[in-house]
Amino acid sequence: MAVQELTILDSYRAELDKPGLVVIDFYSTQCPPCKVIAPLYDAIANKYSNKDTRFFKVNGLVEPGGTIQREAEVVWWPTLVVYRDGREAWRAKVPNPPSIEPVRELERLLDEQSL
């Protein structure tokens, strides 16, 4: 249960209101780069998920995911966003064709947080 799907705007807002890190993968089910990074994101979530670091996915292709995506000002799939105590701390778009560098960057960021 490391990665949970956010499907309600109020739930997204409530997660951001909690202390700690919130990591979100904004994706679409019809996005080939999203399918490439999904297992990598899941592996990172399994490694780093704890009471202070929570992992989510938002499917921006369908509502209400599109509404959450607009509120987060995400315009590209996949986009990885990290919030610290409710404020955006890091964001990266995964290019097409996909590169795993943004995923590696996320992992480095999370390694630094555990110090």
Side-chain angles (χ1 to χ4, degrees):
M1 189 166 114
V3 179
Q4 297 177 49
E5 187 84 22
L6 284 174
T7 58
I8 300 169
L9 183 59
D10 287 342
S11 296
Y12 164 77
R13 291 174 178 160
E15 287 300 327
L16 294 186
D17 285 343
K18 296 176 186 175
L21 291 180
V22 173
V23 184
I24 302 178
D25 173 13
F26 290 90
Y27 76 102
S28 161
T29 55
Q30 297 181 0
C31 158
C34 299
K35 293 174 184 173
V36 170
I37 70 150
L40 303 171
Y41 182 75
D42 289 343
I44 288 173
N46 286 329
K47 180 178 178 181
Y48 294 96
S49 186
N50 60 50
K51 68 180 180 68
D52 296 318
T53 305
R54 300 172 314 280
F55 290 82
F56 300 94
K57 294 183 83 118
V58 173
N59 182 355
L61 183 64
V62 296
E63 287 303 330
T67 300
I68 297 169
Q69 180 176 299
R70 283 188 297 282
E71 178 148 318
E73 298 179 357
V74 169
V75 296
W76 179 267
W77 296 315
T79 295
L80 304 172
V81 183
V82 176
Y83 299 91
R84 179 181 291 118
D85 298 329
R87 297 200 138 148
E88 186 174 321
W90 179 86
R91 176 183 294 228
K93 297 178 190 174
V94 176
N96 188 12
S99 163
I100 62 168
E101 186 53 36
V103 177
R104 287 185 178 143
E105 201 176 308
L106 172 61
E107 192 162 23
R108 285 191 295 270
L109 175 78
L110 293 171
D111 277 339
E112 293 170 7
Q113 298 304 312
S114 63
L115 296 176

